[in-house]
Amino acid sequence: MTEVLLANEDADDARTLLPSSVLAKPEISGDRLLNPRPGMRLHDSAVQGIVVRSPLDGVSGRRWWTVARAAIADGRSIEPAFCSNGFAALERLLELEDHFVNCEVCGDDMTPRGLRGHQRSNSVCRFLSDVAEVRTFWDLGYRDPFSLRDDGVPITWTELSSRAHWRNRTHIIRFRLWTAVLYRRPKQC
């Protein structure tokens, strides 16, 4: 994630301290955030927030903002933060190189203490985790009921629950807003 949405005092600090080249307004549609986290439920504080874009490939917006803010608070220039080598040196100098861990699910940088809560509550991370589980079972030969309906696979919950044979071959993945139902494909002779 090369962008981070800041709200409240952090947004005010970013507007004051950072050049406009790394700032953007969040894109909003109704009660949903379109950018930087598509589909994320919109919190009131985000409406007046600001998006900080990391100018560096491979450095998340959250991590870049943390190092830039710490440099300014320490009375340093943030110019080195705009190139990879300068950013790494500035991060080491400010003793922030171990401040973040990378979430293996969504790729965002989090503090080590916040990682577990992030993976449980962040809607993007939870969705990507569920998608990865669907892909894993797809690779194992499971398929959705509609693609197997010609093989006699039940399509409705009523049909599914009427026979234990089908329930034992079913794997259900409960997404936040929908459910994926996958059947283990019958072995072909």
Side-chain angles (χ1 to χ4, degrees):
M1 191 69 197
T2 60
E3 299 174 327
V4 64
L5 176 63
L6 302 178
N8 304 327
E9 295 83 26
D10 284 339
D12 294 337
D13 289 347
R15 284 185 188 96
T16 305
L17 302 172
L18 297 178
S20 61
S21 62
V22 297
L23 300 177
K25 292 182 107 178
E27 294 176 36
I28 300 167
S29 174
D31 69 340
R32 296 286 172 198
L33 189 61
L34 298 177
N35 190 25
R37 293 284 190 168
M40 192 168 131
R41 189 165 162 24
L42 186 61
H43 299 281
D44 291 337
S45 60
V47 174
Q48 298 302 318
I50 193 80
V51 176
V52 175
R53 292 184 177 136
S54 170
L56 305 174
D57 289 334
V59 176
S60 71
R62 182 184 324 272
R63 183 172 154 211
W64 190 87
W65 162 245
T66 301
V67 171
R69 182 178 52 190
I72 292 167
D74 200 38
R76 300 179 184 282
S77 168
I78 62 165
E79 280 303 311
F82 287 88
C83 72
S84 296
N85 292 337
F87 178 82
L90 193 57
E91 191 175 36
R92 259 190 319 280
L93 185 67
L94 296 167
E95 298 177 357
L96 293 172
E97 65 255 346
D98 295 327
H99 188 72
F100 290 106
V101 294
N102 190 269
C103 175
E104 66 276 357
V105 176
C106 70
D108 204 355
D109 283 330
M110 303 302 302
T111 61
R113 280 185 62 193
L115 183 61
R116 176 176 256 140
H118 160 80
Q119 289 175 339
R120 272 194 322 258
S121 64
N122 183 280
S123 57
V124 172
C125 195
R126 284 181 20 207
F127 181 81
L128 291 173
S129 177
D130 293 338
V131 167
E133 187 176 354
V134 167
R135 288 186 175 142
T136 298
F137 278 90
W138 194 266
D139 291 342
L140 292 172
Y142 283 70
R143 295 295 180 261
D144 65 284
F146 292 102
S147 66
L148 298 175
R149 68 180 174 264
D150 294 335
D151 295 337
V153 172
I155 301 297
T156 67
W157 286 111
T158 305
E159 292 172 321
L160 173 65
S161 57
S162 68
R163 294 182 55 202
H165 169 74
W166 290 115
R167 284 194 307 268
N168 294 338
R169 294 174 57 198
T170 305
H171 184 78
I172 297 172
I173 301 164
R174 299 192 191 287
F175 280 75
R176 185 170 179 204
L177 298 175
W178 55 279
T179 301
V181 178
L182 302 171
Y183 289 109
R184 188 172 58 238
R185 185 173 232 166
K187 292 187 174 152
Q188 303 294 327
C189 295

